[in-house]
Amino acid sequence: MSNPRKPDNPLEVANQAFCDLTGYAEGEILGRNCRFLSGLGTEPWLTERIREGVRTRSSVLVDILNYKKDGTPFRNAVLVTPLFDAEGDLTWFLGSQVELGSESTSIFIGRREKAVIAVNSLPPRQRQVLELIAKGLLNKQIAWELKISEKTVKMHRALLMERLGVPTSADLIRLAVEAGL
């Protein structure tokens, strides 16, 4: 998780999976912007898409080449999504990364196609809820936006997770972004 309220949007929270993926210890990560993972082969147009998502406070998902601490390149699906507080103020950016491996382009395209099909099969109200979840809104904010109760939003969130076969809200956001929401 990065803090957009500080200069250069530094990482303030990193889980063990991120450390394992990149080869960096938590102490080497915190306080830095994630661009330390880029290198000579990192695609600048994809880095710009991430920057644009941060600038516009919108979710973005890219398949990008990054580098581990030891210099090893790896294909990486990177999701960056804004998180807002109850007043609608931007509080964090949640970043999620998955190493894709050597077959990444076809895997990434296949995941995107599956996500589009799954999202297109949703009933209209569930799709609306998913779109607002992907924008980083809280249940209370979604309820206000759609003029429904917060309890109904929670029910839709649970149904979405079950229907789309994802275990967490972060996975739900990833799938929504993969589908282009």
Side-chain angles (χ1 to χ4, degrees), residues 50-100:
I50 295 170
R51 284 189 190 116
E52 181 64 19
V54 169
R55 272 194 298 273
T56 61
R57 300 175 173 193
S58 56
S59 298
V60 63
L61 176 68
V62 297
D63 171 7
I64 194 166
L65 183 68
N66 276 328
Y67 292 83
K68 298 181 182 201
K69 181 179 179 178
D70 67 6
T72 305
F74 67 104
R75 260 337 233 180
N76 196 16
V78 177
L79 167 70
V80 178
T81 192
L83 300 176
F84 300 93
D85 64 17
E87 289 76 43
D89 294 323
L90 178 64
T91 55
W92 299 99
F93 279 101
L94 170 68
S96 178
Q97 301 192 22
V98 175
E99 186 170 8
L100 296 174

Side-chain angles (χ1 to χ4, degrees), residues 110-170:
R111 284 177 60 117
R112 184 161 286 192
E113 287 173 4
K114 287 179 186 175
V116 168
I117 290 167
V119 167
N120 285 342
S121 73
L122 294 173
R125 178 60 85 186
Q126 285 183 1
R127 185 182 169 107
Q128 288 175 318
V129 170
L130 182 60
E131 287 173 356
L132 295 172
I133 290 170
K135 288 182 179 179
L137 298 182
L138 303 173
N139 289 342
K140 181 182 270 186
Q141 294 164 318
I142 295 168
W144 184 86
E145 184 82 20
L146 298 178
K147 311 287 188 265
I148 59 178
S149 73
E150 189 173 351
K151 185 176 182 177
T152 302
V153 173
K154 289 177 183 177
M155 177 199 67
H156 279 299
R157 184 184 290 264
L159 287 170
L160 281 164
M161 289 170 69
E162 182 180 324
R163 184 177 193 143
L164 297 172
V166 296
T168 67
S169 290

